[in-house]
Amino acid sequence: LPAGLSQWFPALEVLDVSGTGLAELGEELLALPRLHTLLAKNNRLGGPGSLPKGLGQAPPGRSLRVLNLSGNRFAELPPALLGLRGLQSLSLGGNRLHCIPPDIQELRSLEFLYLGGNFITSIPPELANLPSLSSLVLCDNKIQSIPPQLAQLHSLRSLSLHNNLLTYLPREILNLVHLEELSLRGNPLVVRFVRDLTYNPPSLQELAGRTVKTRNVPYAPSDLPENLVRYLSLASNCPNPKCGGVYFDSCVRQIKFVDFCGKYRIPLMHYLCSPECSSPCSSASQSSTSQSESDSEDEASVAARRMQKVLLG
């Protein structure tokens, strides 16, 4: 930053130095008592000394509300940022972050957090301790799971998780009753849903095992080989309440959509015993606790299209 900046513009409130090739923000920044918005996108920030020491204790540390450091070279969240207790919007997208430090919970005023386009592999449970967070963007990372503690983010309205490595969502996420936007496209759990699923027919052993279990054929352990008795004990019930079937090794992997508040559906992985159990009518009856058995096929089709729009939009 140019020397004398605070003398020239003592009442400066918004500073945009994006795309200027800066490798550090100098000490002049600390002398701007009214600064509430700092935009420093697409620079070369990220090395030692990129941010001035004592930023959290300086006047801007108390006045700063919006900070955008996207498109830089930060490999970790700068510790100096954790002192910005009044910060409401923080953007660090397109950097080189590999983790989110648990100390991010210190930013108690944060409402918007953008960390998309990094190399983040996990989400710390401490992120749930941000009571005002309404928008969380974690797209284009390498996240494999969502901690159930995120259900405590009762102010959350928008959650962007597309293009990660998610294979399931925790059931606790259903507690986010104020969530209005959920982006999941480009994750394995959605890719499996939209891709044509292959179904290998059950083996003769499985067909026999299904018959024994579904028809309650009586048998004693001494009647069958030990390995077959063990095999029969591994039967899993089909989650479709209208089916009553079982499966062992051959099943249809599907996404279960749980509807709540009549607004949108959250996907959870489940397994069915046959492709017939994944038809619109059968899946609709067990994908929503709020729908009655009298729902028509047309309504189920509309719901299915709505689910795809949420997932793929």
Side-chain angles (χ1 to χ4, degrees):
L1 294 178
L5 180 65
S6 60
Q7 298 176 357
W8 300 337
F9 307 105
L12 193 65
E13 297 182 353
V14 178
L15 177 60
D16 188 350
V17 291
S18 300
T20 56
L22 286 176
E24 64 178 55
L25 299 175
E27 300 293 328
E28 286 293 321
L29 189 67
L30 304 181
L32 298 173
R34 300 186 184 182
L35 187 67
H36 62 70
T37 299
L38 174 58
L39 310 177
K41 302 180 293 180
N42 304 324
N43 283 298
R44 295 185 291 116
L45 302 170
S50 291
L51 301 180
K53 295 181 179 180
L55 179 61
Q57 291 72 42
R62 294 185 292 272
S63 62
L64 207 58
R65 297 293 180 265
V66 178
L67 177 59
N68 193 327
L69 297 173
S70 292
N72 281 284
R73 303 177 181 180
F74 290 101
E76 61 181 18
L77 196 71
L81 300 186
L82 300 176
L84 304 177
R85 301 302 173 85
L87 198 64
Q88 297 174 354
S89 175
L90 174 61
S91 299
L92 276 161
N95 276 272
R96 303 172 182 177
L97 303 177
H98 284 78
C99 66
I100 305 173
D103 288 343
I104 198 168
Q105 64 183 335
E106 301 297 327
L107 302 178
R108 302 281 293 177
S109 300
L110 209 58
E111 299 176 6
F112 177 85
L113 178 60
Y114 190 105
L115 297 175
N118 283 284
F119 303 96
I120 298 169
T121 58
S122 62
I123 303 173
E126 289 80 4
L127 194 63
N129 297 329
L130 299 176
S132 302
L133 193 65
S134 62
S135 182
L136 175 59
V137 181
L138 295 169
C139 61
D140 300 290
N141 278 286
K142 300 181 181 298
I143 299 169
Q144 301 182 37
S145 63
I146 304 298
Q149 288 85 352
L150 284 196
Q152 302 170 19
L153 291 172
H154 299 302
S155 298
L156 200 63
R157 299 293 189 274
S158 177
L159 177 59
S160 296
L161 295 167
H162 52 272
N163 298 332
N164 276 284
L165 302 176
L166 297 173
T167 57
Y168 73 97
L169 292 179
R171 185 173 297 274
E172 287 82 0
I173 205 169
L174 296 175
N175 295 327
L176 295 173
V177 295
H178 297 297
L179 198 65
E180 298 172 357
E181 298 176 1
L182 174 63
S183 178
L184 294 169
R185 67 182 184 276
N187 281 280
L189 70 87
V190 178
V191 171
R192 280 197 294 264
F193 173 69
V194 299
R195 187 178 59 199
D196 290 335
L197 295 174
T198 58
Y199 176 68
N200 296 320
S203 64
L204 290 177
Q205 181 185 38
E206 176 152 351
L207 288 173
R210 291 187 182 196
T211 301
V212 170
K213 301 297 291 187
T214 56
R215 298 188 179 183
N216 294 318
V217 177
Y219 67 90
S222 58
D223 297 334
L224 302 172
E226 183 179 348
N227 64 329
L228 187 54
V229 173
R230 189 182 309 112
Y231 180 76
L232 290 172
S233 68
L234 299 177
S236 299
N237 294 323
C238 182
N240 187 346
K242 292 185 177 182
C243 175
V246 299
Y247 63 88
F248 295 87
D249 303 312
S250 180
C251 60
V252 179
R253 188 163 48 188
Q254 282 283 351
I255 299 294
K256 178 180 180 182
F257 293 87
V258 181
D259 193 4
F260 62 100
C261 299
K263 294 182 178 178
Y264 53 88
R265 293 169 181 253
I266 297 295
L268 300 168
M269 185 65 69
H270 76 150
Y271 300 87
L272 299 166
C273 68
S274 70
E276 288 75 16
C277 288
S278 62
S279 63
C281 290
S282 60
S283 63
S285 65
Q286 49 89 34
S287 66
S288 170
T289 57
S290 64
Q291 292 178 313
S292 67
E293 292 185 359
S294 62
D295 285 346
S296 66
E297 183 174 356
D298 288 341
E299 290 172 325
S301 299
V302 171
R305 286 196 297 271
R306 185 177 63 182
M307 291 187 288
Q308 285 190 326
K309 183 177 180 182
V310 170
L311 287 171
L312 306 177

